Amino acid sequence: MATATDFAPYVRRWALVPDGDPIVTHSSRLLPVLHAGAPAMLKVATEAEERWGAGLMIWWGGRGAARVLAHDDRAILLERATGRHSLVHMAKNGADDEASRIICKVVGALHEARAMPPLDLIPLEQRFQALEAAPAGEIFARSAVAARALLANPRDVVTLHGDIHHANILDFGERGWLAIDPKRLKGERGFDYANLFCNPDHTVATARGRLARQVEVVARAAQLERGRLLHWILAWAGLSATWLIEDGEEEHVAPTLEVANIAVAEIDKS
């Protein structure tokens, strides 16, 4: 549980006013605050990966991502999302296509070339090593084969967000839709679109016909090759299921593998 002492040094240093209850995640502590009278979010990392993600937020400079107002080696102060719209709600309530197009627009902004890429990015192939040790089974094998083929011949290599889904792109009002909570990855840009097919929840992700429709929407909006996107979805779903098994989250494994199976069915149709 987060306490006032977790945030006190930053509240004093950056002249912040607490503006809500603390939020605790597996990798950080967050506190809604006011900064010079404007809504902001103070985020204190408790894991190294979260600090590296903060470095990407700084590097993006508010283009496609929330603007960083202040930072040090453990904490960042971000502009706070105050808009009333939610991509999760949209996807669950008849606006799935629109939500996907918004995601594609934000990801495209994140992938735009910058003058100097950030340092210490993790190659995407390193992220997929866990899939090589996945449990036996046809769907894991198909996922691993897809991953190897994609990683062996990458296209359009960029700095990746690494964890794009409906809850990591928020409504910032006049600033529009912006991303939060990146990982520090480098690889083919198509990877950043794969996770949205496992989201916003299992019911939506595995609904009849949903994946096939959203592949068309995303491929068109992001200018991606449909077949290659399907292979990224297959590879990602297998990797995600592997991590879920490692973390003991067995209840989420079957729906995630169902997304992989749906992707395989679409690939085999082609």
Side-chain angles (χ1 to χ4, degrees):
M1 182 175 180
T3 65
T5 57
D6 294 323
F7 308 106
Y10 305 103
V11 169
R12 289 194 300 269
R13 184 185 311 167
W14 295 329
L16 308 176
V17 177
D19 190 41
D21 295 327
I23 303 164
V24 178
T25 73
H26 72 282
S27 59
S28 61
R29 306 286 185 267
L30 300 101
L31 181 69
V33 297
L34 297 177
H35 175 252
M41 184 68 75
L42 173 60
K43 183 173 185 178
V44 181
T46 56
E47 292 188 3
E49 186 172 61
E50 199 68 37
R51 293 196 292 273
W52 289 319
L56 275 189
M57 297 292 288
I58 296 165
W59 179 73
W60 277 319
R63 290 167 54 196
R67 185 182 290 119
V68 177
L69 306 173
H71 63 90
D72 70 2
D73 61 343
R74 286 194 63 232
I76 56 172
L77 182 67
L78 299 166
E79 61 179 319
R80 195 195 323 164
T82 57
R84 293 183 294 177
H85 299 289
S86 159
L87 294 179
V88 172
H89 184 270
M90 289 170 63
K92 289 182 176 182
N93 293 276
D96 201 11
D97 291 4
E98 184 182 354
S100 292
R101 293 187 187 102
I102 290 169
I103 291 171
C104 290
K105 184 176 180 179
V106 172
V107 174
L110 297 177
H111 289 174
E112 288 177 359
R114 266 69 164 181
M116 182 73 69
L119 301 176
D120 299 324
L121 296 175
I122 297 173
L124 197 51
E125 53 264 37
Q126 184 174 328
R127 208 61 154 188
F128 273 91
Q129 287 177 355
L131 187 54
E132 295 298 331
E138 181 180 354
I139 191 60
F140 282 112
R142 286 286 298 261
S143 296
V145 168
R148 287 188 213 111
L150 292 164
L151 295 169
N153 295 287
R155 303 177 185 174
D156 300 327
V157 174
V158 298
T159 298
L160 298 165
H161 178 284
D163 193 21
I164 289 291
H165 56 76
H166 297 68
N168 269 351
I169 296 176
L170 305 179
D171 178 5
F172 281 76
E174 292 182 359
R175 288 260 290 137
W177 295 93
L178 301 170
I180 59 169
D181 291 345
K183 310 303 180 186
R184 53 169 189 145
L185 302 179
K186 180 179 181 179
E188 182 173 327
R189 70 183 185 93
F191 170 82
D192 256 351
Y193 300 90
N195 192 23
L196 72 91
F197 293 89
C198 294
N199 282 277
D201 61 23
H202 298 320
T203 300
V204 173
T206 59
R208 184 177 181 86
R210 192 262 181 167
L211 187 144
R213 177 174 178 81
Q214 292 310 305
V215 164
E216 299 294 341
V217 171
V218 171
R220 187 177 302 113
Q223 297 185 316
L224 294 168
E225 181 185 310
R226 178 182 182 277
R228 196 167 180 88
L229 177 57
L230 282 167
H231 280 83
W232 274 119
I233 297 166
L234 170 58
W236 166 254
L239 177 62
S240 181
T242 302
W243 286 339
L244 290 168
I245 292 170
E246 291 176 353
D247 293 341
E249 300 182 39
E250 299 291 338
E251 70 276 16
H252 299 301
V253 173
T256 303
L257 290 180
E258 180 60 19
V259 172
N261 280 308
I262 296 170
V264 165
E266 290 298 315
I267 291 168
D268 289 348
K269 284 181 188 178
S270 302

